[in-house]
Amino acid sequence: PRSDCIAAEQLCLLDSTCNATYRILENCALAKTHVLPLDHDSRVRCLNAELDLGNSSLLHCRCHRRMKRQEHCLRIFWTVHSSMTDGYFNLETSPYENPANEEHWKTDYNKLAALLSGKDCSQLAGDATNPCLKATHVCNLSKKCVRLRTDYASICTKGAGSEDMCDRRKCHRGLRNFFEKVPEDFTKRILFCPCQDELCGERRRKTIVPDCSFQYNTKPNCLWLLDSCLEDHICKSRLADFQQNCQPADMSPDGCSQHNHAACLQAYMGMIGTPMTPNYVSNSSVEVSLWCTCESSGNQKEKCDQILGMFESNKCL
């Protein structure tokens, strides 16, 4: 059975052979992090070290989205699988365990509200015309949901749209905190509320405070956005998870190679609060995109379009 990577690392370090192999892989991963070109012999040594792990628990370990020391766990995963990042855009294996279950994602608002006994649920009745407002009111019934939502909103609105730029890094951390620590019953309703009018759509679009978390003054190139992501263990992991669970398949009736829309939506939520944070492009549609452009991409235009297309024209998503 798969273990989490932190436990697997501890076991490996107790074994002298595994320990020596793991140290080689750490040096390989370090070289890649600093974009140091590896000569042929070094590349072969790195690949052999990965193969030497064979059936060890390290090679098959995974991380959990909501675990403590998540960054440490992900660092171990990418140390062991550093050869997977060879090539430009090849992260099909997710470091995360347990994709979302479809049934788990089917939630009834009123049933959820009823579970939070002793709360005033009467205000929910008046929100039928604006599901996004209703989702916010449901969030307000949970102390954790309202606290973490208030936290990121206050960080992300500080300085946004003014001469003092907001602290995007802190804003992203606050968003990740919200989507990781608040139960998905609340977060998915806020992010994916179904809208029939532009007022509701605008509220949905502004869920992640896009002035700070999403938009720059000018659109950067999508290749730059990808490079920023691959330098960050969390973003690289979320991107791998997104690629695996939202892989489109033209021949498939549901447009998904994994046939699991819930896992795709969960993976999409995981991208929020990373350098590759996506968002709705307008208040009148459910189309999403990254805040980047493929203009001036030169001979890498095709790769750039592929990155943007994963969000803009992904049938699975």
Side-chain angles (χ1 to χ4, degrees), residues 156 160 165-169 171-172 175 205-220 224-225 268 271-282 287-293 308 311-312:
C156 299
M165 284 298 292
C166 68
D167 192 328
R168 183 172 284 111
R169 194 178 287 268
C171 174
H172 281 167
L175 278 166
R205 192 182 68 81
K206 289 191 170 176
T207 294
I208 66 167
V209 195
D211 285 351
C212 184
S213 69
F214 179 66
Q215 292 169 210
Y216 295 77
N217 289 332
T218 55
K219 281 190 176 183
W224 177 84
L225 219 58
Y268 172 87
M271 294 301 300
I272 294 171
T274 71
M276 286 182 75
T277 293
N279 195 28
Y280 297 98
V281 294
S282 75
E287 288 178 30
V288 297
S289 181
L290 298 172
W291 182 261
C292 63
T293 177
L308 199 52
F311 294 86
E312 283 190 346

Side-chain angles (χ1 to χ4, degrees), residues 243-247 249 252 254-261 263 316:
Q243 280 191 289
Q244 177 177 297
N245 290 302
C246 296
Q247 194 66 245
S252 172
D254 63 359
C256 284
S257 63
Q258 298 287 323
H259 309 296
N260 190 341
H261 283 288
C316 180

Side-chain angles (χ1 to χ4, degrees), residues 45 73 167 187 210 287 292 296 306:
R45 189 165 62 250
C73 184
D167 192 328
T187 56
E287 288 178 30
C292 63
S296 309
Q306 183 188 359

